[in-house]
Amino acid sequence: MRLYGLVAAGGFRRHATYRVATLAGLFTNTVFGFILAYTYMAVWDERPRLGGYDMADALAYVWIGQGLITVCGLMGGGFEDEIMERIRTGDIAVDLYRPVDLQAWWFSANLGRAAFQFLGRGVVPMAVGALVFDIALPERAVTWPAFVVSVALGASVSFGIWYLVALSAFWLMDGSGVTQVVWLSGLFFSGMLLPLTVFPGALGEVAQVLPWASLLQVPADVYLEKYQGWGVLRAYAFQAGWAVALLAAGRLLQSAATRKVVVQGG
């Protein structure tokens, strides 16, 4: 466990060195936050309480989304391209033969990345939104740590999704197609464009049970205190369930990939 803790710390330090990229990301997230905020204001002026949110909730949702876009990998996990490149060059064989678990290694590194992104690109956009707009703030102090836990679970689900995408390169000539499909799915089904509660009928019901809901919709609703009492634990169970399922699927795919490498190496 100490080794993976060091890997997580290394992932944090690695991303902390890219200060200019962090500042550029902050600027981009903030600009798009303003664009989306004013768009949401126009929509909610016409449809108050749309999706069960009032104006303050909707504006908070916008800035939560901008804060979590890199933390929970809404548009990419940040590591899948590196794994795909190592698969393409054959360097992944060295990784598989190392006396460490490949999935645990990348999970730990991604955890460190997510922690830095939460501090480096997550807090500031939300603070800007709170200063400029009348956004909803939690009424209970306990909601803040509850929100952080939900974000951590969302980041775990995100890793599970993108790890599967990365390992698909073992069987595909080019993983960019899968990456694009998952990227678009995440953008739509995470609630990045609009809260999933706005989606009509069966589409909304399906969207809310897909794993991408764990990345933004669930953490946002925890922050907005849409879950009460045991509801918070049920939200955690939903996220944890998807994390376990996706990590287990990644484990199976990793085992299959290892056998493939052994056979080809032999």
Side-chain angles (χ1 to χ4, degrees):
M1 292 299 295
R2 181 175 180 273
L3 170 63
Y4 297 117
L6 292 173
V7 172
F12 186 99
R13 289 194 301 270
R14 175 185 179 187
H15 287 273
T17 60
Y18 298 105
R19 297 181 179 88
V20 175
T22 300
L23 291 174
L26 278 173
F27 176 78
T28 302
N29 290 151
T30 303
V31 169
F32 274 98
F34 276 97
I35 294 171
L36 285 173
Y38 284 113
T39 302
Y40 271 46
M41 289 173 68
V43 172
W44 261 260
D45 275 338
E46 294 295 323
R47 296 285 302 278
R49 302 296 306 178
L50 180 63
Y53 299 129
D54 59 22
M55 180 70 79
D57 290 340
L59 290 173
Y61 187 95
V62 167
W63 291 102
I64 292 169
Q66 291 306 303
L68 298 187
I69 192 169
T70 53
V71 179
C72 291
L74 299 176
M75 301 178 69
F79 64 89
E80 63 280 357
D81 290 338
E82 186 173 349
I83 295 179
M84 286 180 174
E85 178 62 18
R86 294 187 68 80
I87 293 173
R88 188 187 67 80
T89 60
D91 292 339
I92 195 69
V94 177
D95 299 336
L96 290 171
Y97 281 114
R98 286 175 178 166
V100 294
D101 182 74
L102 183 69
Q103 187 186 56
W105 176 282
W106 284 103
F107 180 85
S108 301
N110 187 67
L111 187 64
R113 178 204 63 81
F116 171 76
Q117 296 293 1
F118 184 78
L119 297 175
R121 290 181 60 177
V123 174
V124 173
M126 291 179 65
V128 170
L131 289 172
V132 179
F133 298 93
D134 183 19
I135 73 171
L137 295 173
E139 296 181 358
R140 298 173 298 168
V142 71
T143 300
W144 290 104
F147 171 65
V148 173
V149 171
S150 185
V151 170
L153 289 170
S156 299
V157 173
S158 174
F159 172 82
I161 293 171
W162 289 106
Y163 190 68
L164 288 172
V165 171
L167 293 189
S168 70
F170 273 106
W171 292 271
L172 301 174
M173 293 295 293
D174 184 1
S176 60
V178 176
T179 301
Q180 288 296 316
V181 170
V182 175
W183 181 84
L184 290 171
S185 298
L187 191 64
F188 187 75
F189 288 113
S190 67
M192 187 64 195
L193 301 178
L194 279 171
L196 301 182
T197 54
V198 174
F199 289 16
L203 177 60
E205 294 175 2
V206 171
Q208 292 184 62
V209 299
L210 293 176
W212 291 285
S214 298
L215 278 56
L216 172 56
Q217 184 68 56
V218 174
D221 282 342
V222 170
Y223 172 93
L224 294 171
E225 299 177 338
K226 299 298 182 181
Y227 299 107
Q228 298 294 330
W230 290 102
V232 176
L233 294 181
R234 286 194 293 270
Y236 289 167
F238 172 79
Q239 292 179 291
W242 270 117
V244 170
L246 290 166
L247 291 173
R251 176 72 59 187
L252 291 174
L253 205 61
Q254 178 180 306
S255 297
T258 302
R259 289 195 295 271
K260 181 180 176 67
V261 169
V262 170
V263 170
Q264 290 180 344

